[in-house]
Amino acid sequence: MNIVLLGPPGAGKGTHAARLAEKYGIPHISTGDMLREAMREGTSLGLKAKGYVENGALVPDDIVIGIVKERLQKPDCSKGFLLDGFPRTVPQAEALDTFARVDRVINIQIPFDKLMDRITHRWLCEKCGASYGIEDPDKSDLICVKCGGKLYQREDDKPETFGNRLRIYEVQTQPLIDYYEKRGILINISSDQSIEGTFADICKALGSDVS
């Protein structure tokens, strides 16, 4: 099964992508992973991408599309794949259609206010990476109970920054959602519930159970 995973930052894509990849025995492929792998392997496209990355510039579509095409031709994708972070635009989706079949597009949804509340109260441990939901932080809150490390809040999780990230995502992604909806392969899944409930809904939509 070839799956594309969509969803705003903080909706839980990474968590569900890892579980889906394990359940179906297919690779979870993110844009960042593909770029790093291509640069590490020194492919011609990887070397081109490296020049942009090192200069802090966005990697052009044609290079990203070429790297995706190279990645999907590897043996571990023969039984399917899970794409996360690609495509981001309709032109990218149209290009993907020329060299790979997409069976299902899972669009993870959550109300704007719920997502804002979830992410802007997220604090992370600087040592072990554990995540905590803290509404009114004080000194006693800012220590990780797992390892004793200090907790911090990412700059892009702060309300003003995160709200802007969400708006940009919605503007950029809506045409892509419409594109896949017209093709009849888009499945909307609510993550305004437990992680287990969301995962169960995804599995059901893909025609299987959680086990």
Side-chain angles (χ1 to χ4, degrees):
M1 186 177 293
N2 301 334
I3 304 168
V4 168
L5 193 62
L6 301 177
K13 290 199 309 296
T15 298
H16 296 301
R19 295 184 67 176
L20 288 168
E22 182 178 1
K23 176 178 174 59
Y24 291 105
I26 56 178
H28 168 210
I29 305 169
S30 75
T31 307
D33 291 342
M34 283 185 287
L35 287 171
R36 284 187 289 272
E37 184 175 349
M39 289 188 290
R40 186 172 60 249
E41 292 180 353
T43 67
S44 60
L45 287 169
L47 293 174
K48 289 180 181 179
K50 187 176 182 180
Y52 288 94
V53 172
E54 289 180 344
N55 289 311
L58 289 175
V59 180
D61 263 10
D62 61 329
I63 295 177
V64 175
I65 290 165
I67 287 173
V68 172
K69 185 175 182 179
E70 284 184 345
R71 179 65 184 88
L72 297 187
Q73 290 172 344
K74 294 196 172 184
D76 64 338
C77 293
S78 62
K79 294 182 179 180
F81 56 78
L82 175 61
L83 279 175
D84 176 7
F86 183 93
R88 290 184 182 274
T89 64
V90 170
Q92 287 184 355
E94 291 172 339
L96 176 61
D97 287 340
T98 66
F99 57 82
R101 184 191 76 252
V102 175
D103 298 310
R104 293 287 184 273
V105 178
I106 302 296
N107 181 35
I108 299 180
Q109 299 178 310
I110 184 170
F112 184 92
D113 59 336
K114 295 282 185 71
L115 190 52
M116 280 289 290
D117 186 64
R118 177 190 295 181
I119 298 303
T120 57
H121 293 145
R122 178 171 66 180
W123 289 70
L124 305 173
C125 174
E126 64 181 12
K127 289 178 65 177
C128 72
S131 177
Y132 296 86
I134 302 176
E135 293 194 11
D136 298 305
D138 59 33
K139 290 184 179 179
S140 63
D141 287 325
L142 302 181
I143 298 296
C144 178
V145 298
K146 296 181 179 179
C147 73
K150 292 183 179 179
L151 303 187
Y152 74 99
Q153 189 173 39
R154 289 170 40 180
E155 285 298 320
D156 56 3
D157 282 352
K158 293 180 179 179
E160 183 176 342
T161 306
F162 187 71
N164 189 49
R165 287 174 66 201
L166 280 183
R167 293 182 191 96
I168 291 172
Y169 172 83
E170 289 178 348
V171 170
Q172 289 181 337
T173 309
Q174 190 58 52
L176 188 61
I177 291 171
D178 294 341
Y179 176 81
Y180 284 123
E181 192 165 38
K182 288 176 183 176
R183 291 182 53 190
I185 59 174
L186 182 80
I187 302 169
N188 292 313
I189 300 292
S190 171
S191 68
D192 188 15
Q193 56 179 319
S194 69
I195 291 174
E196 292 301 326
T198 303
F199 186 66
D201 284 351
I202 294 173
C203 291
K204 184 178 179 181
L206 294 174
S208 63
D209 57 28
V210 175
S211 59

